[in-house]
Amino acid sequence: MAASNLSTGRMISYAFDRSQRAAAGGASGPAAATGSAASNGSAPAENGPGKRTKREEMARYLLEYLLRDPKARKAFCQVIAGIDAPATAFRTSSRSGSDLFDLEAPLTSGAEDRIAIKVIVDGTIEAGAVTAALAALPTPASRLVLLLPKHRKSSLDVKDEHLIRTTWAALAKRLVKKDSKRADFWRLIGEFGEDAPATSVYRAVSPRILLDQDVVKEFRSHLDTLRLVAAELYGRPVRFSTSRRGRGAWLQVGASGTGLGVEFDAVEEGSPVWLVGTRPHRSHPLNIGALPDEESRGRAERRLRGIASGERRHDDPTYAPSVPEFIGEPASHAMEEARALLWDVFDPQMLAAAGFPLVPRRQPDLEPDALAVRLHREGDPRAGTFLVSVGRSKNWKTLLPRVTREFDGRTYIIQAAKGDTAEDLVTAVHGALLSLATKP
C-alpha cells in the first residue's frame, strides 16, 4: 500500500466495517468466531479466545489497516517488536494460526517465525491468557507484543523474554518519531487505544455540581419519594437491577413481568419517579415530586394507597392511574444533571468494561443514608466485592462517589477538582476500583 493511498477516513471506515462483520459472524477464520462472542461490548472475565470487546475489534482492524503499509510495518517491527527482520503481512485471521492472537505475521528470517499482537482496550487480561498466548508462539525467535492502555500496564505480572509489553500511548509516541510520514495514523491508533474504553462519557455539566448543597438536598428528597412509593405500592425496597440488558443504570422495584413497577430515571414533567411496565413497554406519571412537609407527604400517601388498592395495575396493560394534580416540588434541571452524571458512574456496562460487573441478585437496598451498587472483580475471586456509593452519612454533605472494598471497609472518596469533566469523574471511579482490587 503506497503512503499516498493511506487515509485516516478509510482506516476508520475499514475498521468499523470489519469489526461489525466480525461481531455479526460475517468474517472468515478464527477471528470471526472469536469476535462474535463479545458482540455485546461488555468486558470479559479473561481476554482469551472469544473474549474480544467491540472496541478491541475496532482497535485491531485499525492497526491491521496501517500495518499493511510496508514502511509502517517495518517501523513497528524495529521500534516496538525489536526485530530487524521485516514481517511480510499482518492478518487478523489465519487458517494455520492461533486465535489466541489478534494479529500475526510471518518473519522473513524463518519459515515458522512469527510476530503476534494481542490488543487490550477495555477488556481485562489475566496472566493465564498471556501465558497461553506465549506458549502458542511457534518458535523461540517469535515474539508476542501486548498492547494495552497505560493505566493497566502495572496490573499484569508476567515476565518472559518473548513478551514485549507496551502501551498505546508509547506505541504512538515512538512511532510518530520513527515514522513521521504516517504520524497522523499512529496518533489516531494511540488515542483510540488509550481513550476508547467505555468510560468515555460526555456531559457539559461539571462534576462539582455534586458538591452543591441545594442539589444534594433536592436529590435526596426525590430518593425519599421513591422509597415512599416503593413501600406503599410494593412493600419492598428499591435497588439497582442487574437483570435487564441494553440499558444503563436502572434503579427500580417491581418492573418485571406484566405488572407495573416503579423506576427512578430521567426527569420528565417534574419528576424522576415513574410507573413503568416492561411487557408491554409503557410508562405513567405519578405526578409526585419532592415532599418538603407533612401535608404534601400525606397527600402523596393517599394517592399511592388509592393506586395500591386497585388490582388492575398487576395484569391490565391498559391500566393508567388517576393523577390529577402535581404533589410536592418538581425536580430542577440541576438535579437532573446531577442524576444523569451519577447514572454514568453507576452504569453497569461501563463498570463491566473496567473489569467490575455488578453482582447478580446481591445489590444493596436504597437506604435513607446511601445509594450503592455492588461489584466484583472478574477473574480474581481473591479481590472480593466492592461498593460504589453516594451518601454514606446522615446528612449527605455531597453526592461525590465513594468506592469501598467490602472485606476490610477501605474507602476512597472521589474528588471533583476544578476543571474536571464528567469523564474524569467516571474514570477516577474505575481507577479507584482497580487500585483497591490490586493493592493490599
Side-chain angles (χ1 to χ4, degrees), residues 350-373:
M350 293 185 191
L351 291 166
F356 296 88
L358 275 61
V359 180
R361 296 180 296 277
R362 288 186 54 203
Q363 289 305 301
D365 296 342
L366 170 63
E367 302 287 354
D369 66 342
L371 171 65
V373 294

Side-chain angles (χ1 to χ4, degrees), residues 151-152 199 201 207 210 341-348 350-356 358 371-373 375 377 386-390 399-405 411-416 420-437:
H151 70 277
R152 299 202 177 201
T199 53
V201 298
L210 303 178
L341 176 55
L342 288 175
W343 262 228
D344 285 336
V345 170
F346 292 127
D347 188 295
M350 293 185 191
L351 291 166
F356 296 88
L358 275 61
L371 171 65
V373 294
L375 319 166
R377 169 74 164 166
F386 307 84
L387 290 176
V388 178
S389 62
V390 295
L399 294 174
L400 291 176
R402 295 169 175 252
V403 178
T404 302
R405 186 167 60 192
T411 297
Y412 295 156
I413 300 176
I414 310 305
Q415 300 299 324
D420 278 358
T421 66
E423 182 176 359
D424 292 332
L425 183 80
V426 177
T427 301
V429 169
H430 296 175
L433 283 167
L434 182 62
S435 179
L436 288 176

Side-chain angles (χ1 to χ4, degrees), residues 13-327:
S13 179
Y14 172 84
F16 179 79
D17 177 65
R18 291 298 298 270
S19 61
Q20 292 293 99
R21 287 170 55 196
S28 61
T34 58
S36 61
S39 60
N40 63 359
S42 61
E46 184 171 304
N47 207 329
K51 302 293 186 180
R52 297 184 189 95
T53 70
K54 284 182 177 180
R55 293 170 181 82
E56 282 159 353
E57 291 284 9
M58 185 80 175
R60 70 178 181 141
Y61 286 118
L62 288 170
L63 193 56
E64 183 200 34
Y65 177 92
L66 185 53
L67 290 177
R68 288 186 173 189
D69 179 83
K71 291 184 179 179
R73 190 164 63 243
K74 181 179 180 181
F76 179 89
C77 290
Q78 290 179 340
V79 174
I80 303 301
I83 296 175
D84 287 331
T88 57
F90 278 93
R91 298 184 182 278
T92 53
S93 63
S94 168
R95 292 184 185 275
S96 60
S98 172
D99 61 5
L100 289 166
F101 311 135
D102 291 302
L103 291 159
E104 62 175 311
L107 297 174
T108 58
S109 59
E112 300 297 326
D113 297 339
R114 295 285 189 274
I115 294 181
I117 302 174
K118 183 74 177 167
V119 303
I120 305 300
V121 177
D122 57 1
T124 58
I125 183 71
E126 305 297 338
V130 175
T131 301
L134 287 166
L137 293 173
T139 67
S142 298
R143 294 292 182 268
L144 173 65
V145 178
L146 180 64
L147 284 169
L148 68 172
K150 58 187 176 183
H151 70 277
R152 299 202 177 201
K153 187 177 181 182
S154 61
S155 63
L156 182 68
D157 186 19
V158 177
K159 294 179 175 64
D160 190 287
E161 63 180 355
H162 302 98
L163 176 64
I164 298 156
R165 180 170 52 182
T166 190
T167 66
W168 295 99
L171 170 89
K173 182 178 180 180
R174 295 176 68 188
L175 286 171
V176 162
K177 183 177 180 181
K178 175 70 174 179
D179 186 25
S180 59
K181 288 187 177 180
R182 281 152 289 274
D184 289 344
F185 298 88
W186 292 119
R187 288 193 191 97
L188 189 153
I189 289 174
E191 289 176 4
F192 183 88
E194 290 292 350
D195 300 336
T199 53
S200 298
V201 298
Y202 174 75
R203 294 197 182 278
V205 64
S206 165
R208 294 182 68 81
I209 195 173
L210 303 178
L211 298 168
D212 188 305
Q213 293 296 295
D214 291 335
V215 172
V216 174
K217 182 179 179 181
E218 183 183 1
F219 182 80
R220 186 175 183 182
S221 295
H222 285 279
L223 286 180
D224 287 342
T225 296
L226 175 68
R227 292 174 58 245
L228 174 66
V229 173
E232 293 291 342
L233 295 185
Y234 304 98
R236 60 183 192 270
V238 183
R239 57 180 67 116
F240 280 106
S241 175
T242 61
S243 63
R244 185 167 60 170
R245 297 180 180 179
R247 286 199 52 176
W250 193 31
L251 185 62
Q252 61 86 35
V253 61
S256 62
T258 59
L260 285 176
V262 64
E263 72 174 1
F264 190 93
D265 203 71
V267 173
E268 291 186 29
E269 300 181 23
S271 176
V273 182
W274 282 64
L275 286 176
V276 294
T278 58
R279 300 178 186 172
H281 176 75
R282 59 205 187 277
S283 61
H284 303 288
L286 281 170
N287 278 0
I288 301 176
L291 305 171
D293 50 47
E294 289 301 319
E295 188 274 334
S296 60
R297 184 179 179 88
R299 291 168 59 207
E301 288 175 345
R302 289 191 292 274
R303 174 174 294 176
L304 294 170
R305 289 169 187 171
I307 295 172
S309 65
E311 294 299 322
R312 289 179 56 209
R313 68 186 177 95
H314 293 297
D315 52 17
D316 184 353
T318 66
Y319 168 78
S322 175
V323 286
E325 79 285 344
F326 196 92
I327 299 173

